[in-house]
Amino acid sequence: MGRMTASPGRRVLLAAPRGYCAGVDRAVIAVEKALEQYGAPVYVRHEIVHNKYVVQTLEKKGAIFVERTEEVPPGNIVMFSAHGVAPVVHEEAARGKLATIDATCPLVTKVHKEAVRFANEDYDILLIGHEGHEEVIGTSGEAPDHIQLVDGPADVAKVEVRDPSKIVWLSQTTLSVDETMETVDALKEKFPQLISPPSDDICYATQNRQLAVKQMGAEAELVIVVGSRNSSNSKRLVEVAKLAGSREAYLVDFASEIDEAWLEGVTTVGVTSGASVPEVLVEEVLEWLSQRGYGDVELVKAAEESITFSLPKELRRDLREEAAALVAERKGTSEA
């Protein structure tokens, strides 16, 4: 790469870790593998991960993204995204005679299991998260009668529970760590007997990426976060950078979206990327900055990540055959 030019005093702080987390890596590879093994089309319910570039790349390879399970013609394969789905979606797939691959991140699955367990024990569950986010819809769907959403500290006032001695909080995995604890503190003030989940729901990748940005934001006047507008964890990185002291922080999908005016009076630029962002997009941003005199790159290392998840087990089966059998079975029953 032509990262040659460095003007004296101008530098880039590059966050580590950044970009792909284990759950995203697994989900994206699962789509590619499914297309290789079973051929196109493979349908995906919702964006497999919240990244424009990833979705476009997979579409070119033959993935078809749909908003609703009902949009998938019978006898096809449908994959559920890394964000997870409510049990009713599995039922829709069964009704639609579809073979399914579940690419839900294992860390999201963990929260689903916690929700089911606490609901079975008849707890009121306060789910901290953002309204309308796919992960929140999926988790809430595990126990709709027991779960209520708390969207930040301002929401705490309107929370009502049946028994203040039987409540627990859970959270979306991609929130701001500090804001979540602020919400938890406000809830504990109102409900002193509130219990916490067995382990923190905010995932390791979210926490590590925020930690690196915190260290960076204290020194950088400008922070560029590579990520998509609908990516919760990417948007949180922008907020964390500003809170850490960066004068400005912006979210961009591509280097072409950076405005040169942002660089005015800036000597140190921080660069990071959300958990669903391929490294090639970060390299383009570094290249863009290098061409404008910011060629001196320093790594800001907040953590080591070595976690990986095995691929969805359904990829070990012949799903085309299973899907065909489902349709044949339906024909058989309608003819009888």
Side-chain angles (χ1 to χ4, degrees), residues 3-34:
R3 229 177 277 152
M4 297 297 176
T5 48
S7 301
R10 287 189 194 170
R11 62 179 182 150
V12 174
L13 299 179
L14 182 61
R18 65 181 173 277
Y20 272 16
C21 60
V24 163
D25 198 39
R26 169 182 187 263
V28 174
I29 291 171
V31 180
E32 292 171 338
K33 278 254 185 292

Side-chain angles (χ1 to χ4, degrees), residues 209-222:
R209 277 151 195 68
Q210 288 178 16
L211 202 57
V213 165
K214 260 187 185 171
Q215 291 172 15
M216 215 163 61
E219 291 183 61
E221 298 101 326
L222 167 69

Side-chain angles (χ1 to χ4, degrees), residues 72-77 91-100 322-331 333:
V72 184
N76 274 285
I77 296 170
E91 290 159 23
E92 289 165 5
R95 272 202 307 276
K97 307 293 177 191
L98 306 173
T100 60
E322 284 179 34
L326 287 169
V327 173
E329 184 189 306
R330 184 175 67 175
K331 284 204 180 92
T333 50

Side-chain angles (χ1 to χ4, degrees), residues 243-256:
L243 286 170
S246 177
R247 203 169 62 203
E248 271 308 340
Y250 296 100
L251 187 61
V252 299
D253 260 298
F254 305 101
S256 57

Side-chain angles (χ1 to χ4, degrees), residues 1 3 12-21 24-25 28 32 49 51 53-54 57 209 224-227 237 252-255 271-288 297-300 305:
M1 297 197 77
R3 229 177 277 152
V12 174
L13 299 179
L14 182 61
R18 65 181 173 277
Y20 272 16
C21 60
V24 163
D25 198 39
V28 174
E32 292 171 338
V49 296
N51 185 268
Y53 175 85
V54 171
T57 306
R209 277 151 195 68
I224 294 170
V225 178
V226 186
L237 290 174
V252 299
D253 260 298
F254 305 101
V271 174
T272 190
S273 54
S276 45
V277 176
E279 187 60 13
V280 59
L281 300 180
V282 176
E283 284 166 10
E284 284 171 9
V285 168
L286 294 176
E287 184 61 37
W288 188 96
V297 179
E298 284 173 41
L299 209 57
V300 176
E305 286 182 356

